[in-house]
PDB file of all heavy atoms in Angstrom:
ATOM      1  N   THR A 427      86.222  46.631-102.390  1.00 45.00           N
ATOM      2  CA  THR A 427      85.898  45.682-101.328  1.00 45.00           C
ATOM      3  C   THR A 427      87.065  45.504-100.385  1.00 45.00           C
ATOM      4  O   THR A 427      86.916  45.398 -99.177  1.00 45.00           O
ATOM      5  CB  THR A 427      85.516  44.326-101.940  1.00 45.00           C
ATOM      6  OG1 THR A 427      84.464  44.529-102.854  1.00 45.00           O
ATOM      7  CG2 THR A 427      85.096  43.352-100.875  1.00 45.00           C
ATOM      8  N   LEU A 428      88.313  45.498-100.966  1.00 39.00           N
ATOM      9  CA  LEU A 428      89.505  45.344-100.130  1.00 39.00           C
ATOM     10  C   LEU A 428      89.670  46.521 -99.181  1.00 39.00           C
ATOM     11  O   LEU A 428      90.026  46.378 -98.019  1.00 39.00           O
ATOM     12  CB  LEU A 428      90.727  45.209-101.046  1.00 39.00           C
ATOM     13  CG  LEU A 428      92.070  44.997-100.346  1.00 39.00           C
ATOM     14  CD1 LEU A 428      92.015  43.699 -99.531  1.00 39.00           C
ATOM     15  CD2 LEU A 428      93.210  44.933-101.373  1.00 39.00           C
ATOM     16  N   VAL A 429      89.373  47.767 -99.719  1.00 38.00           N
ATOM     17  CA  VAL A 429      89.493  48.957 -98.863  1.00 38.00           C
ATOM     18  C   VAL A 429      88.493  48.911 -97.729  1.00 38.00           C
ATOM     19  O   VAL A 429      88.808  49.214 -96.567  1.00 38.00           O
ATOM     20  CB  VAL A 429      89.293  50.227 -99.714  1.00 38.00           C
ATOM     21  CG1 VAL A 429      89.215  51.465 -98.816  1.00 38.00           C
ATOM     22  CG2 VAL A 429      90.416  50.379-100.718  1.00 38.00           C
ATOM     23  N   GLN A 430      87.271  48.518 -97.993  1.00 44.00           N
ATOM     24  CA  GLN A 430      86.251  48.433 -96.951  1.00 44.00           C
ATOM     25  C   GLN A 430      86.623  47.387 -95.901  1.00 44.00           C
ATOM     26  O   GLN A 430      86.422  47.577 -94.708  1.00 44.00           O
ATOM     27  CB  GLN A 430      84.897  48.078 -97.578  1.00 44.00           C
ATOM     28  CG  GLN A 430      84.309  49.200 -98.412  1.00 44.00           C
ATOM     29  CD  GLN A 430      83.013  48.793 -99.096  1.00 44.00           C
ATOM     30  OE1 GLN A 430      82.679  47.600 -99.117  1.00 44.00           O
ATOM     31  NE2 GLN A 430      82.310  49.784 -99.650  1.00 44.00           N
ATOM     32  N   THR A 431      87.201  46.281 -96.399  1.00 41.00           N
ATOM     33  CA  THR A 431      87.616  45.218 -95.452  1.00 41.00           C
ATOM     34  C   THR A 431      88.699  45.716 -94.513  1.00 41.00           C
ATOM     35  O   THR A 431      88.690  45.457 -93.307  1.00 41.00           O
ATOM     36  CB  THR A 431      88.107  44.001 -96.237  1.00 41.00           C
ATOM     37  OG1 THR A 431      87.065  43.569 -97.108  1.00 41.00           O
ATOM     38  CG2 THR A 431      88.501  42.880 -95.291  1.00 41.00           C
ATOM     39  N   ASN A 432      89.681  46.484 -95.069  1.00 42.00           N
ATOM     40  CA  ASN A 432      90.766  47.018 -94.230  1.00 42.00           C
ATOM     41  C   ASN A 432      90.234  48.007 -93.204  1.00 42.00           C
ATOM     42  O   ASN A 432      90.681  48.053 -92.050  1.00 42.00           O
ATOM     43  CB  ASN A 432      91.822  47.695 -95.114  1.00 42.00           C
ATOM     44  CG  ASN A 432      92.626  46.694 -95.924  1.00 42.00           C
ATOM     45  OD1 ASN A 432      92.716  45.529 -95.518  1.00 42.00           O
ATOM     46  ND2 ASN A 432      93.193  47.121 -97.055  1.00 42.00           N
ATOM     47  N   GLN A 433      89.270  48.855 -93.644  1.00 45.00           N
ATOM     48  CA  GLN A 433      88.692  49.825 -92.710  1.00 45.00           C
ATOM     49  C   GLN A 433      87.952  49.127 -91.580  1.00 45.00           C
ATOM     50  O   GLN A 433      88.050  49.521 -90.414  1.00 45.00           O
ATOM     51  CB  GLN A 433      87.742  50.767 -93.472  1.00 45.00           C
ATOM     52  CG  GLN A 433      88.457  51.730 -94.393  1.00 45.00           C
ATOM     53  CD  GLN A 433      87.491  52.596 -95.177  1.00 45.00           C
ATOM     54  OE1 GLN A 433      86.274  52.328 -95.183  1.00 45.00           O
ATOM     55  NE2 GLN A 433      88.034  53.638 -95.835  1.00 45.00           N
ATOM     56  N   LYS A 434      87.206  48.086 -91.892  1.00 44.00           N
ATOM     57  CA  LYS A 434      86.495  47.338 -90.837  1.00 44.00           C
ATOM     58  C   LYS A 434      87.472  46.675 -89.882  1.00 44.00           C
ATOM     59  O   LYS A 434      87.254  46.622 -88.668  1.00 44.00           O
ATOM     60  CB  LYS A 434      85.600  46.272 -91.479  1.00 44.00           C
ATOM     61  CG  LYS A 434      84.404  46.837 -92.210  1.00 44.00           C
ATOM     62  CD  LYS A 434      83.566  45.708 -92.800  1.00 44.00           C
ATOM     63  CE  LYS A 434      82.341  46.280 -93.521  1.00 44.00           C
ATOM     64  NZ  LYS A 434      81.515  45.185 -94.111  1.00 44.00           N
ATOM     65  N   ALA A 435      88.563  46.135 -90.453  1.00 42.00           N
ATOM     66  CA  ALA A 435      89.557  45.481 -89.587  1.00 42.00           C
ATOM     67  C   ALA A 435      90.176  46.484 -88.628  1.00 42.00           C
ATOM     68  O   ALA A 435      90.383  46.211 -87.444  1.00 42.00           O
ATOM     69  CB  ALA A 435      90.633  44.820 -90.453  1.00 42.00           C
ATOM     70  N   ARG A 436      90.493  47.721 -89.190  1.00 47.00           N
ATOM     71  CA  ARG A 436      91.086  48.732 -88.316  1.00 47.00           C
ATOM     72  C   ARG A 436      90.116  49.172 -87.220  1.00 47.00           C
ATOM     73  O   ARG A 436      90.490  49.398 -86.081  1.00 47.00           O
ATOM     74  CB  ARG A 436      91.532  49.940 -89.162  1.00 47.00           C
ATOM     75  CG  ARG A 436      92.861  49.723 -89.880  1.00 47.00           C
ATOM     76  CD  ARG A 436      93.431  51.053 -90.330  1.00 47.00           C
ATOM     77  NE  ARG A 436      92.600  51.624 -91.399  1.00 47.00           N
ATOM     78  CZ  ARG A 436      92.781  51.395 -92.701  1.00 47.00           C
ATOM     79  NH1 ARG A 436      93.755  50.577 -93.094  1.00 47.00           N
ATOM     80  NH2 ARG A 436      92.001  51.978 -93.592  1.00 47.00           N
ATOM     81  N   ARG A 437      88.799  49.301 -87.593  1.00 50.00           N
ATOM     82  CA  ARG A 437      87.811  49.671 -86.584  1.00 50.00           C
ATOM     83  C   ARG A 437      87.686  48.587 -85.500  1.00 50.00           C
ATOM     84  O   ARG A 437      87.528  48.868 -84.323  1.00 50.00           O
ATOM     85  CB  ARG A 437      86.449  49.917 -87.245  1.00 50.00           C
ATOM     86  CG  ARG A 437      86.362  51.256 -87.966  1.00 50.00           C
ATOM     87  CD  ARG A 437      84.910  51.622 -88.234  1.00 50.00           C
ATOM     88  NE  ARG A 437      84.269  50.666 -89.120  1.00 50.00           N
ATOM     89  CZ  ARG A 437      84.236  50.771 -90.447  1.00 50.00           C
ATOM     90  NH1 ARG A 437      84.839  51.801 -91.052  1.00 50.00           N
ATOM     91  NH2 ARG A 437      83.608  49.872 -91.179  1.00 50.00           N
ATOM     92  N   GLY A 438      87.786  47.320 -85.920  1.00 47.00           N
ATOM     93  CA  GLY A 438      87.730  46.219 -84.949  1.00 47.00           C
ATOM     94  C   GLY A 438      88.901  46.250 -83.988  1.00 47.00           C
ATOM     95  O   GLY A 438      88.753  46.057 -82.794  1.00 47.00           O
ATOM     96  N   HIS A 439      90.106  46.513 -84.536  1.00 44.00           N
ATOM     97  CA  HIS A 439      91.295  46.598 -83.670  1.00 44.00           C
ATOM     98  C   HIS A 439      91.179  47.766 -82.700  1.00 44.00           C
ATOM     99  O   HIS A 439      91.556  47.673 -81.532  1.00 44.00           O
ATOM    100  CB  HIS A 439      92.551  46.762 -84.537  1.00 44.00           C
ATOM    101  CG  HIS A 439      92.959  45.490 -85.243  1.00 44.00           C
ATOM    102  ND1 HIS A 439      93.159  44.300 -84.595  1.00 44.00           N
ATOM    103  CD2 HIS A 439      93.184  45.242 -86.576  1.00 44.00           C
ATOM    104  CE1 HIS A 439      93.505  43.355 -85.469  1.00 44.00           C
ATOM    105  NE2 HIS A 439      93.508  43.909 -86.697  1.00 44.00           N
ATOM    106  N   THR A 440      90.654  48.903 -83.224  1.00 43.00           N
ATOM    107  CA  THR A 440      90.501  50.085 -82.349  1.00 43.00           C
ATOM    108  C   THR A 440      89.531  49.797 -81.218  1.00 43.00           C
ATOM    109  O   THR A 440      89.761  50.175 -80.062  1.00 43.00           O
ATOM    110  CB  THR A 440      90.001  51.277 -83.174  1.00 43.00           C
ATOM    111  OG1 THR A 440      90.926  51.520 -84.247  1.00 43.00           O
ATOM    112  CG2 THR A 440      89.874  52.522 -82.298  1.00 43.00           C
ATOM    113  N   ARG A 441      88.409  49.128 -81.529  1.00 46.00           N
ATOM    114  CA  ARG A 441      87.402  48.804 -80.497  1.00 46.00           C
ATOM    115  C   ARG A 441      87.979  47.835 -79.467  1.00 46.00           C
ATOM    116  O   ARG A 441      87.770  47.975 -78.263  1.00 46.00           O
ATOM    117  CB  ARG A 441      86.166  48.198 -81.164  1.00 46.00           C
ATOM    118  CG  ARG A 441      85.083  47.835 -80.166  1.00 46.00           C
ATOM    119  CD  ARG A 441      83.831  47.355 -80.884  1.00 46.00           C
ATOM    120  NE  ARG A 441      82.834  46.939 -79.930  1.00 46.00           N
ATOM    121  CZ  ARG A 441      82.058  47.767 -79.231  1.00 46.00           C
ATOM    122  NH1 ARG A 441      82.193  49.080 -79.409  1.00 46.00           N
ATOM    123  NH2 ARG A 441      81.151  47.311 -78.396  1.00 46.00           N
ATOM    124  N   THR A 442      88.766  46.860 -79.954  1.00 43.00           N
ATOM    125  CA  THR A 442      89.391  45.893 -79.033  1.00 43.00           C
ATOM    126  C   THR A 442      90.375  46.594 -78.101  1.00 43.00           C
ATOM    127  O   THR A 442      90.434  46.341 -76.894  1.00 43.00           O
ATOM    128  CB  THR A 442      90.112  44.797 -79.828  1.00 43.00           C
ATOM    129  OG1 THR A 442      89.159  44.176 -80.688  1.00 43.00           O
ATOM    130  CG2 THR A 442      90.727  43.767 -78.900  1.00 43.00           C
ATOM    131  N   ALA A 443      91.179  47.505 -78.680  1.00 40.00           N
ATOM    132  CA  ALA A 443      92.148  48.252 -77.856  1.00 40.00           C
ATOM    133  C   ALA A 443      91.445  49.119 -76.832  1.00 40.00           C
ATOM    134  O   ALA A 443      91.885  49.242 -75.686  1.00 40.00           O
ATOM    135  CB  ALA A 443      93.043  49.113 -78.764  1.00 40.00           C
ATOM    136  N   THR A 444      90.310  49.727 -77.270  1.00 42.00           N
ATOM    137  CA  THR A 444      89.547  50.569 -76.339  1.00 42.00           C
ATOM    138  C   THR A 444      88.987  49.761 -75.187  1.00 42.00           C
ATOM    139  O   THR A 444      89.066  50.159 -74.023  1.00 42.00           O
ATOM    140  CB  THR A 444      88.400  51.259 -77.084  1.00 42.00           C
ATOM    141  OG1 THR A 444      88.932  52.021 -78.158  1.00 42.00           O
ATOM    142  CG2 THR A 444      87.622  52.176 -76.142  1.00 42.00           C
ATOM    143  N   LEU A 445      88.435  48.586 -75.504  1.00 37.00           N
ATOM    144  CA  LEU A 445      87.924  47.708 -74.444  1.00 37.00           C
ATOM    145  C   LEU A 445      89.044  47.258 -73.518  1.00 37.00           C
ATOM    146  O   LEU A 445      88.866  47.141 -72.309  1.00 37.00           O
ATOM    147  CB  LEU A 445      87.237  46.493 -75.079  1.00 37.00           C
ATOM    148  CG  LEU A 445      85.918  46.776 -75.809  1.00 37.00           C
ATOM    149  CD1 LEU A 445      85.427  45.510 -76.515  1.00 37.00           C
ATOM    150  CD2 LEU A 445      84.867  47.282 -74.834  1.00 37.00           C
ATOM    151  N   GLY A 446      90.226  47.010 -74.120  1.00 42.00           N
ATOM    152  CA  GLY A 446      91.372  46.594 -73.294  1.00 42.00           C
ATOM    153  C   GLY A 446      91.777  47.683 -72.322  1.00 42.00           C
ATOM    154  O   GLY A 446      92.077  47.440 -71.161  1.00 42.00           O
ATOM    155  N   LEU A 447      91.778  48.941 -72.830  1.00 35.00           N
ATOM    156  CA  LEU A 447      92.128  50.060 -71.950  1.00 35.00           C
ATOM    157  C   LEU A 447      91.109  50.253 -70.859  1.00 35.00           C
ATOM    158  O   LEU A 447      91.442  50.574 -69.717  1.00 35.00           O
ATOM    159  CB  LEU A 447      92.253  51.344 -72.791  1.00 35.00           C
ATOM    160  CG  LEU A 447      93.491  51.442 -73.693  1.00 35.00           C
ATOM    161  CD1 LEU A 447      93.412  52.685 -74.559  1.00 35.00           C
ATOM    162  CD2 LEU A 447      94.760  51.443 -72.858  1.00 35.00           C
ATOM    163  N   GLU A 448      89.821  50.057 -71.197  1.00 40.00           N
ATOM    164  CA  GLU A 448      88.792  50.173 -70.186  1.00 40.00           C
ATOM    165  C   GLU A 448      88.954  49.113 -69.117  1.00 40.00           C
ATOM    166  O   GLU A 448      88.771  49.367 -67.922  1.00 40.00           O
ATOM    167  CB  GLU A 448      87.404  50.057 -70.836  1.00 40.00           C
ATOM    168  CG  GLU A 448      87.048  51.263 -71.679  1.00 40.00           C
ATOM    169  CD  GLU A 448      85.721  51.062 -72.397  1.00 40.00           C
ATOM    170  OE1 GLU A 448      85.175  49.938 -72.297  1.00 40.00           O
ATOM    171  OE2 GLU A 448      85.244  52.014 -73.020  1.00 40.00           O
ATOM    172  N   ALA A 449      89.320  47.906 -69.558  1.00 40.00           N
ATOM    173  CA  ALA A 449      89.534  46.831 -68.574  1.00 40.00           C
ATOM    174  C   ALA A 449      90.715  47.143 -67.684  1.00 40.00           C
ATOM    175  O   ALA A 449      90.680  46.935 -66.476  1.00 40.00           O
ATOM    176  CB  ALA A 449      89.754  45.498 -69.309  1.00 40.00           C
ATOM    177  N   VAL A 450      91.785  47.691 -68.313  1.00 39.00           N
ATOM    178  CA  VAL A 450      92.964  48.038 -67.509  1.00 39.00           C
ATOM    179  C   VAL A 450      92.638  49.182 -66.565  1.00 39.00           C
ATOM    180  O   VAL A 450      93.033  49.207 -65.411  1.00 39.00           O
ATOM    181  CB  VAL A 450      94.144  48.402 -68.433  1.00 39.00           C
ATOM    182  CG1 VAL A 450      95.300  48.970 -67.632  1.00 39.00           C
ATOM    183  CG2 VAL A 450      94.577  47.180 -69.222  1.00 39.00           C
ATOM    184  N   ASP A 451      91.883  50.171 -67.098  1.00 44.00           N
ATOM    185  CA  ASP A 451      91.512  51.302 -66.239  1.00 44.00           C
ATOM    186  C   ASP A 451      90.639  50.849 -65.086  1.00 44.00           C
ATOM    187  O   ASP A 451      90.702  51.402 -63.990  1.00 44.00           O
ATOM    188  CB  ASP A 451      90.768  52.357 -67.059  1.00 44.00           C
ATOM    189  CG  ASP A 451      91.705  53.070 -68.011  1.00 44.00           C
ATOM    190  OD1 ASP A 451      92.930  53.041 -67.752  1.00 44.00           O
ATOM    191  OD2 ASP A 451      91.205  53.646 -68.994  1.00 44.00           O
ATOM    192  N   GLY A 452      89.800  49.864 -65.258  1.00 42.00           N
ATOM    193  CA  GLY A 452      88.913  49.380 -64.202  1.00 42.00           C
ATOM    194  C   GLY A 452      89.627  48.578 -63.157  1.00 42.00           C
ATOM    195  O   GLY A 452      89.185  48.469 -62.019  1.00 42.00           O
ATOM    196  N   ALA A 453      90.774  47.989 -63.534  1.00 42.00           N
ATOM    197  CA  ALA A 453      91.487  47.118 -62.600  1.00 42.00           C
ATOM    198  C   ALA A 453      91.981  47.853 -61.374  1.00 42.00           C
ATOM    199  O   ALA A 453      91.804  47.382 -60.251  1.00 42.00           O
ATOM    200  CB  ALA A 453      92.648  46.420 -63.314  1.00 42.00           C
ATOM    201  N   PRO A 454      92.631  49.044 -61.485  1.00 42.00           N
ATOM    202  CA  PRO A 454      93.065  49.738 -60.271  1.00 42.00           C
ATOM    203  C   PRO A 454      91.930  50.068 -59.335  1.00 42.00           C
ATOM    204  O   PRO A 454      92.085  50.009 -58.126  1.00 42.00           O
ATOM    205  CB  PRO A 454      93.729  51.013 -60.817  1.00 42.00           C
ATOM    206  CG  PRO A 454      94.117  50.683 -62.207  1.00 42.00           C
ATOM    207  CD  PRO A 454      93.052  49.751 -62.702  1.00 42.00           C
ATOM    208  N   SER A 455      90.777  50.411 -59.882  1.00 42.00           N
ATOM    209  CA  SER A 455      89.641  50.722 -59.023  1.00 42.00           C
ATOM    210  C   SER A 455      89.243  49.517 -58.204  1.00 42.00           C
ATOM    211  O   SER A 455      89.006  49.611 -57.005  1.00 42.00           O
ATOM    212  CB  SER A 455      88.465  51.199 -59.893  1.00 42.00           C
ATOM    213  OG  SER A 455      87.340  51.434 -59.085  1.00 42.00           O
ATOM    214  N   LEU A 456      89.195  48.340 -58.866  1.00 36.00           N
ATOM    215  CA  LEU A 456      88.847  47.120 -58.162  1.00 36.00           C
ATOM    216  C   LEU A 456      89.911  46.758 -57.137  1.00 36.00           C
ATOM    217  O   LEU A 456      89.625  46.379 -56.003  1.00 36.00           O
ATOM    218  CB  LEU A 456      88.665  45.970 -59.173  1.00 36.00           C
ATOM    219  CG  LEU A 456      88.289  44.606 -58.602  1.00 36.00           C
ATOM    220  CD1 LEU A 456      86.965  44.720 -57.842  1.00 36.00           C
ATOM    221  CD2 LEU A 456      88.206  43.565 -59.700  1.00 36.00           C
ATOM    222  N   THR A 457      91.195  46.929 -57.524  1.00 46.00           N
ATOM    223  CA  THR A 457      92.303  46.612 -56.613  1.00 46.00           C
ATOM    224  C   THR A 457      92.288  47.537 -55.411  1.00 46.00           C
ATOM    225  O   THR A 457      92.511  47.121 -54.273  1.00 46.00           O
ATOM    226  CB  THR A 457      93.641  46.733 -57.363  1.00 46.00           C
ATOM    227  OG1 THR A 457      93.596  45.892 -58.511  1.00 46.00           O
ATOM    228  CG2 THR A 457      94.806  46.334 -56.472  1.00 46.00           C
ATOM    229  N   SER A 458      92.047  48.816 -55.631  1.00 45.00           N
ATOM    230  CA  SER A 458      92.013  49.773 -54.522  1.00 45.00           C
ATOM    231  C   SER A 458      90.910  49.435 -53.532  1.00 45.00           C
ATOM    232  O   SER A 458      91.098  49.499 -52.319  1.00 45.00           O
ATOM    233  CB  SER A 458      91.795  51.189 -55.063  1.00 45.00           C
ATOM    234  OG  SER A 458      92.837  51.545 -55.934  1.00 45.00           O
ATOM    235  N   THR A 459      89.764  49.023 -54.046  1.00 46.00           N
ATOM    236  CA  THR A 459      88.656  48.647 -53.159  1.00 46.00           C
ATOM    237  C   THR A 459      89.022  47.431 -52.324  1.00 46.00           C
ATOM    238  O   THR A 459      88.778  47.384 -51.115  1.00 46.00           O
ATOM    239  CB  THR A 459      87.402  48.348 -53.993  1.00 46.00           C
ATOM    240  OG1 THR A 459      87.095  49.488 -54.778  1.00 46.00           O
ATOM    241  CG2 THR A 459      86.234  48.012 -53.089  1.00 46.00           C
ATOM    242  N   SER A 460      89.651  46.454 -52.994  1.00 46.00           N
ATOM    243  CA  SER A 460      90.049  45.238 -52.262  1.00 46.00           C
ATOM    244  C   SER A 460      91.069  45.557 -51.199  1.00 46.00           C
ATOM    245  O   SER A 460      91.003  45.057 -50.069  1.00 46.00           O
ATOM    246  CB  SER A 460      90.607  44.200 -53.245  1.00 46.00           C
ATOM    247  OG  SER A 460      89.645  43.878 -54.219  1.00 46.00           O
ATOM    248  N   LEU A 461      92.052  46.416 -51.549  1.00 35.00           N
ATOM    249  CA  LEU A 461      93.077  46.785 -50.565  1.00 35.00           C
ATOM    250  C   LEU A 461      92.473  47.535 -49.397  1.00 35.00           C
ATOM    251  O   LEU A 461      92.874  47.345 -48.239  1.00 35.00           O
ATOM    252  CB  LEU A 461      94.154  47.639 -51.236  1.00 35.00           C
ATOM    253  CG  LEU A 461      95.089  46.914 -52.205  1.00 35.00           C
ATOM    254  CD1 LEU A 461      96.014  47.897 -52.889  1.00 35.00           C
ATOM    255  CD2 LEU A 461      95.897  45.847 -51.458  1.00 35.00           C
ATOM    256  N   ALA A 462      91.510  48.409 -49.694  1.00 43.00           N
ATOM    257  CA  ALA A 462      90.867  49.158 -48.613  1.00 43.00           C
ATOM    258  C   ALA A 462      90.125  48.226 -47.669  1.00 43.00           C
ATOM    259  O   ALA A 462      90.196  48.363 -46.444  1.00 43.00           O
ATOM    260  CB  ALA A 462      89.911  50.191 -49.200  1.00 43.00           C
ATOM    261  N   GLN A 463      89.414  47.241 -48.264  1.00 49.00           N
ATOM    262  CA  GLN A 463      88.702  46.280 -47.421  1.00 49.00           C
ATOM    263  C   GLN A 463      89.670  45.445 -46.598  1.00 49.00           C
ATOM    264  O   GLN A 463      89.465  45.206 -45.412  1.00 49.00           O
ATOM    265  CB  GLN A 463      87.842  45.379 -48.305  1.00 49.00           C
ATOM    266  CG  GLN A 463      86.677  46.105 -48.965  1.00 49.00           C
ATOM    267  CD  GLN A 463      85.925  45.208 -49.915  1.00 49.00           C
ATOM    268  OE1 GLN A 463      86.376  44.119 -50.251  1.00 49.00           O
ATOM    269  NE2 GLN A 463      84.754  45.668 -50.353  1.00 49.00           N
ATOM    270  N   THR A 464      90.771  44.983 -47.240  1.00 45.00           N
ATOM    271  CA  THR A 464      91.769  44.181 -46.526  1.00 45.00           C
ATOM    272  C   THR A 464      92.421  44.984 -45.409  1.00 45.00           C
ATOM    273  O   THR A 464      92.643  44.497 -44.300  1.00 45.00           O
ATOM    274  CB  THR A 464      92.837  43.683 -47.508  1.00 45.00           C
ATOM    275  OG1 THR A 464      92.195  42.978 -48.574  1.00 45.00           O
ATOM    276  CG2 THR A 464      93.832  42.766 -46.814  1.00 45.00           C
ATOM    277  N   GLY A 465      92.735  46.253 -45.718  1.00 47.00           N
ATOM    278  CA  GLY A 465      93.338  47.102 -44.697  1.00 47.00           C
ATOM    279  C   GLY A 465      92.415  47.331 -43.522  1.00 47.00           C
ATOM    280  O   GLY A 465      92.840  47.351 -42.369  1.00 47.00           O
ATOM    281  N   GLY A 466      91.121  47.500 -43.811  1.00 47.00           N
ATOM    282  CA  GLY A 466      90.155  47.690 -42.727  1.00 47.00           C
ATOM    283  C   GLY A 466      90.064  46.480 -41.828  1.00 47.00           C
ATOM    284  O   GLY A 466      90.009  46.589 -40.602  1.00 47.00           O
ATOM    285  N   ILE A 467      90.083  45.282 -42.447  1.00 46.00           N
ATOM    286  CA  ILE A 467      90.051  44.045 -41.653  1.00 46.00           C
ATOM    287  C   ILE A 467      91.301  43.907 -40.812  1.00 46.00           C
ATOM    288  O   ILE A 467      91.257  43.536 -39.641  1.00 46.00           O
ATOM    289  CB  ILE A 467      89.887  42.831 -42.591  1.00 46.00           C
ATOM    290  CG1 ILE A 467      88.523  42.887 -43.288  1.00 46.00           C
ATOM    291  CG2 ILE A 467      90.027  41.529 -41.825  1.00 46.00           C
ATOM    292  CD1 ILE A 467      88.347  41.828 -44.356  1.00 46.00           C
ATOM    293  N   ALA A 468      92.464  44.234 -41.405  1.00 43.00           N
ATOM    294  CA  ALA A 468      93.730  44.130 -40.660  1.00 43.00           C
ATOM    295  C   ALA A 468      93.749  45.083 -39.474  1.00 43.00           C
ATOM    296  O   ALA A 468      94.185  44.728 -38.374  1.00 43.00           O
ATOM    297  CB  ALA A 468      94.906  44.422 -41.596  1.00 43.00           C
ATOM    298  N   LEU A 469      93.274  46.329 -39.691  1.00 43.00           N
ATOM    299  CA  LEU A 469      93.243  47.288 -38.590  1.00 43.00           C
ATOM    300  C   LEU A 469      92.295  46.836 -37.492  1.00 43.00           C
ATOM    301  O   LEU A 469      92.575  47.007 -36.302  1.00 43.00           O
ATOM    302  CB  LEU A 469      92.818  48.662 -39.115  1.00 43.00           C
ATOM    303  CG  LEU A 469      93.845  49.401 -39.982  1.00 43.00           C
ATOM    304  CD1 LEU A 469      93.236  50.672 -40.548  1.00 43.00           C
ATOM    305  CD2 LEU A 469      95.097  49.719 -39.175  1.00 43.00           C
ATOM    306  N   SER A 470      91.172  46.245 -37.887  1.00 47.00           N
ATOM    307  CA  SER A 470      90.216  45.744 -36.896  1.00 47.00           C
ATOM    308  C   SER A 470      90.819  44.613 -36.075  1.00 47.00           C
ATOM    309  O   SER A 470      90.693  44.571 -34.848  1.00 47.00           O
ATOM    310  CB  SER A 470      88.948  45.265 -37.602  1.00 47.00           C
ATOM    311  OG  SER A 470      88.038  44.730 -36.672  1.00 47.00           O
ATOM    312  N   ASP A 471      91.535  43.683 -36.758  1.00 45.00           N
ATOM    313  CA  ASP A 471      92.188  42.579 -36.045  1.00 45.00           C
ATOM    314  C   ASP A 471      93.273  43.098 -35.112  1.00 45.00           C
ATOM    315  O   ASP A 471      93.422  42.619 -33.985  1.00 45.00           O
ATOM    316  CB  ASP A 471      92.794  41.589 -37.046  1.00 45.00           C
ATOM    317  CG  ASP A 471      91.713  40.842 -37.819  1.00 45.00           C
ATOM    318  OD1 ASP A 471      90.558  40.837 -37.343  1.00 45.00           O
ATOM    319  OD2 ASP A 471      92.022  40.285 -38.879  1.00 45.00           O
ATOM    320  N   ALA A 472      94.038  44.081 -35.579  1.00 44.00           N
ATOM    321  CA  ALA A 472      95.103  44.646 -34.741  1.00 44.00           C
ATOM    322  C   ALA A 472      94.520  45.314 -33.503  1.00 44.00           C
ATOM    323  O   ALA A 472      95.065  45.213 -32.407  1.00 44.00           O
ATOM    324  CB  ALA A 472      95.930  45.659 -35.544  1.00 44.00           C
ATOM    325  N   LYS A 473      93.398  46.014 -33.664  1.00 48.00           N
ATOM    326  CA  LYS A 473      92.754  46.671 -32.523  1.00 48.00           C
ATOM    327  C   LYS A 473      92.264  45.634 -31.516  1.00 48.00           C
ATOM    328  O   LYS A 473      92.395  45.818 -30.302  1.00 48.00           O
ATOM    329  CB  LYS A 473      91.597  47.538 -33.002  1.00 48.00           C
ATOM    330  CG  LYS A 473      90.948  48.357 -31.889  1.00 48.00           C
ATOM    331  CD  LYS A 473      89.871  49.251 -32.439  1.00 48.00           C
ATOM    332  CE  LYS A 473      89.287  50.138 -31.330  1.00 48.00           C
ATOM    333  NZ  LYS A 473      88.724  49.338 -30.239  1.00 48.00           N
ATOM    334  N   GLU A 474      91.691  44.524 -32.007  1.00 45.00           N
ATOM    335  CA  GLU A 474      91.220  43.474 -31.104  1.00 45.00           C
ATOM    336  C   GLU A 474      92.386  42.857 -30.339  1.00 45.00           C
ATOM    337  O   GLU A 474      92.283  42.594 -29.141  1.00 45.00           O
ATOM    338  CB  GLU A 474      90.485  42.397 -31.905  1.00 45.00           C
ATOM    339  CG  GLU A 474      89.129  42.868 -32.450  1.00 45.00           C
ATOM    340  CD  GLU A 474      88.442  41.784 -33.250  1.00 45.00           C
ATOM    341  OE1 GLU A 474      89.026  40.688 -33.374  1.00 45.00           O
ATOM    342  OE2 GLU A 474      87.329  42.031 -33.741  1.00 45.00           O
TER     343      GLU A 474
END
């Protein structure tokens, strides 16, 4: 029972780490989109 408990705990930690990496990987994509939108607005204001 102790061995099974340790294996489940390790699988839980692995899944949490994987979700964390996915969240981190998703952040640059979101940031890049925001920067692109902000840059477009700034260029539009500068042109006006």
Side-chain angles (χ1 to χ4, degrees):
T427 305
L428 182 61
V429 172
Q430 290 176 348
T431 303
N432 289 336
Q433 289 177 349
K434 290 181 179 180
R436 281 197 292 270
R437 284 197 297 269
H439 286 307
T440 303
R441 180 175 177 78
T442 303
T444 303
L445 291 174
L447 288 174
E448 290 175 354
V450 171
D451 289 339
S455 177
L456 180 59
T457 304
S458 300
T459 303
S460 301
L461 288 175
Q463 292 175 348
T464 305
I467 295 173
L469 289 174
S470 178
D471 291 342
K473 185 177 184 301
E474 289 179 0

